[in-house]
Amino acid sequence: MSDVNKTIQKWHASFKKGTDFDSWGQLVEAIDEYQILARQLQKEVQSTNSSDFTEEQKKTLGKIATCLEMRSASLQCTQSNEEFKLEDLKKLETIIKNILTYNKEFPFDVQPVPLRKILAPGEEENLELEEEEDAAAGVGSTEAFPPRAPASQGTLLPRLPSEPGMTLLTIRIEKIGLKDAGQCIDPYMTISVKDVNGVDLNPVQDTPVATRKEDTYIHFSVDIEIQRHVEKLPKGAAIFFEFKHYKPKKRFTSTKCFAFLEMDEIKPGPIVIELYKKPTDFKRKKLQLLTKKPLYLHLHQTLQKDS
């Protein structure tokens, strides 16, 4: 079996898993599965190196991702009228399974999620190296580029429903300390929960863009609802915080640094954690501190247990 067929098979299995959870009433698990699959499809759509899919097929994958997010949003809505029904979503199973040969009109009038350029770590570093060289030579102007789309409002998710005996974790991102904090454009954080092998356990969340900067700090003051009960987090898992900002010269969003919380650090109250150099090492094998200066990520954790 070719790599592309293996990928499609994996997507189909994930889709089926999500719709099964949905039909069984396991809504938290269904939302997890839908959002992880939507992100995988979006990454494929945005990939510039992949020739596995035509532009038309990528557009279809993008529309499937939109439908997954719409169903996910419907499940999180407290109102009874569902905007995007399970039976509608199930109509997409044949399409995702046969994406290489599907040539009919998409059954729903939706648009792919707007593209946000995602670069591989090496690609990103090469572009930044060029940028630094340009800056040293006095080349380039940030005003030479046309205005871009408005800053993201974030993709934060609501708190999970409480379950008897289970603990919910809310992490407030207070601020991050950076020596060039004032120069960061449209800064935001991406929060993900990974297992020991770096595989996503939860939907990935983005904070809204931070607007308050003060000396060497960027203030976020935003709550992140971790989308899994603490007791269900596997041994060796970690919560990652990637700090990202916009690079106007190259017109892409770059990861500047990252931090993470390990399971033994999940305790109520404030905590200060170290920042590491990119690329983000989700397996935590080769970590390099960002700076020797006393600059950190400042968090506050709240644990709520339903007795």
Side-chain angles (χ1 to χ4, degrees):
M1 188 184 288
S2 68
D3 285 347
V4 66
N5 282 317
K6 283 179 184 173
T7 299
I8 293 168
Q9 195 177 60
K10 190 173 79 174
W11 289 343
H12 177 240
S14 177
F15 183 91
K16 188 76 173 63
K17 193 175 172 185
T19 54
D20 282 349
F21 279 138
D22 201 342
S23 62
W24 298 333
Q26 292 178 244
L27 304 190
V28 173
E29 291 83 356
I31 290 167
D32 275 6
E33 204 63 42
Y34 290 153
Q35 294 193 339
I36 289 169
L37 178 56
R39 194 172 180 85
Q40 288 172 351
L41 296 180
Q42 286 163 14
K43 281 188 177 179
E44 183 60 48
V45 170
Q46 296 181 50
S47 170
T48 52
N49 299 327
S50 171
S51 56
D52 293 333
F53 301 97
T54 65
E55 286 307 308
E56 202 56 39
Q57 287 164 351
K58 285 187 175 185
K59 193 181 287 186
T60 300
L61 290 172
K63 289 181 177 182
I64 293 171
T66 299
C67 292
L68 288 164
E69 294 201 345
M70 286 169 66
R71 178 58 187 161
S72 181
S74 291
L75 293 178
Q76 293 174 65
C77 183
T78 53
Q79 297 168 358
S80 57
N81 58 327
E82 297 173 355
E83 291 179 14
F84 198 84
K85 297 183 180 299
L86 175 59
E87 54 261 40
D88 291 334
L89 189 67
K90 283 185 173 180
K91 292 174 185 173
L92 304 181
E93 184 175 353
T94 308
I95 303 176
I96 198 167
K97 194 176 177 181
N98 303 299
I99 186 67
L100 295 177
T101 54
Y102 183 80
N103 57 8
K104 297 176 186 174
E105 191 172 338
F106 198 78
F108 305 108
D109 183 18
V110 296
Q111 293 303 314
V113 176
L115 297 186
R116 187 171 74 190
K117 191 164 185 187
I118 297 174
L119 296 172
E123 206 180 353
E124 182 181 287
E125 285 172 347
N126 290 340
L127 281 169
E128 293 198 330
L129 187 62
E130 288 169 24
E131 184 178 319
E132 286 164 10
E133 287 168 355
D134 286 350
V139 175
S141 163
T142 58
E143 294 177 6
F145 293 98
R148 60 203 168 83
S152 164
Q153 295 306 300
T155 56
L156 297 182
L157 296 169
R159 180 176 293 186
L160 290 176
S162 58
E163 288 183 23
M166 291 292 169
T167 308
L168 293 168
L169 172 61
T170 304
I171 299 177
R172 185 170 185 79
I173 302 177
E174 300 282 7
K175 60 185 180 179
I176 187 172
L178 298 165
K179 61 181 180 181
D180 55 352
Q183 297 169 33
C184 294
I185 299 171
D186 288 355
Y188 69 97
M189 287 268 189
T190 294
I191 299 91
S192 57
V193 183
K194 309 277 186 183
D195 69 11
V196 71
N197 295 312
V199 176
D200 278 319
L201 295 170
N202 283 4
V204 177
Q205 303 184 62
D206 290 335
T207 70
V209 166
T211 54
R212 186 177 156 219
K213 299 171 188 175
E214 185 180 64
D215 299 326
T216 54
Y217 288 103
I218 295 172
H219 293 261
F220 284 90
S221 303
V222 64
D223 287 340
I224 313 300
E225 302 294 346
I226 300 303
Q227 299 293 300
R228 186 173 288 233
H229 294 98
V230 173
E231 290 81 1
K232 294 181 182 178
L233 288 168
K235 187 178 179 182
I239 302 167
F240 282 83
F241 305 83
E242 296 174 271
F243 177 83
K244 299 179 178 181
H245 63 132
Y246 184 70
K247 292 280 190 177
K249 286 185 182 177
K250 299 300 175 183
R251 286 185 283 187
F252 72 89
T253 297
S254 165
T255 300
K256 184 177 181 68
C257 59
F258 71 98
F260 58 87
L261 266 180
E262 295 188 312
M263 294 301 96
D264 60 355
E265 295 174 300
I266 295 179
K267 295 168 187 171
I271 185 171
V272 173
I273 57 176
E274 292 175 314
L275 301 171
Y276 297 96
K277 288 181 181 178
K278 65 177 185 181
T280 310
D281 180 8
F282 291 123
K283 293 185 179 180
R284 294 162 271 159
K285 300 285 187 189
K286 297 177 182 177
L287 300 170
Q288 275 188 290
L289 285 174
L290 179 68
T291 177
K292 291 179 181 176
K293 295 182 178 180
L295 297 170
Y296 306 100
L297 178 61
H298 297 249
L299 308 171
H300 189 282
Q301 301 181 81
T302 303
L303 296 171
Q304 182 181 324
K305 188 159 187 172
D306 191 11
S307 53

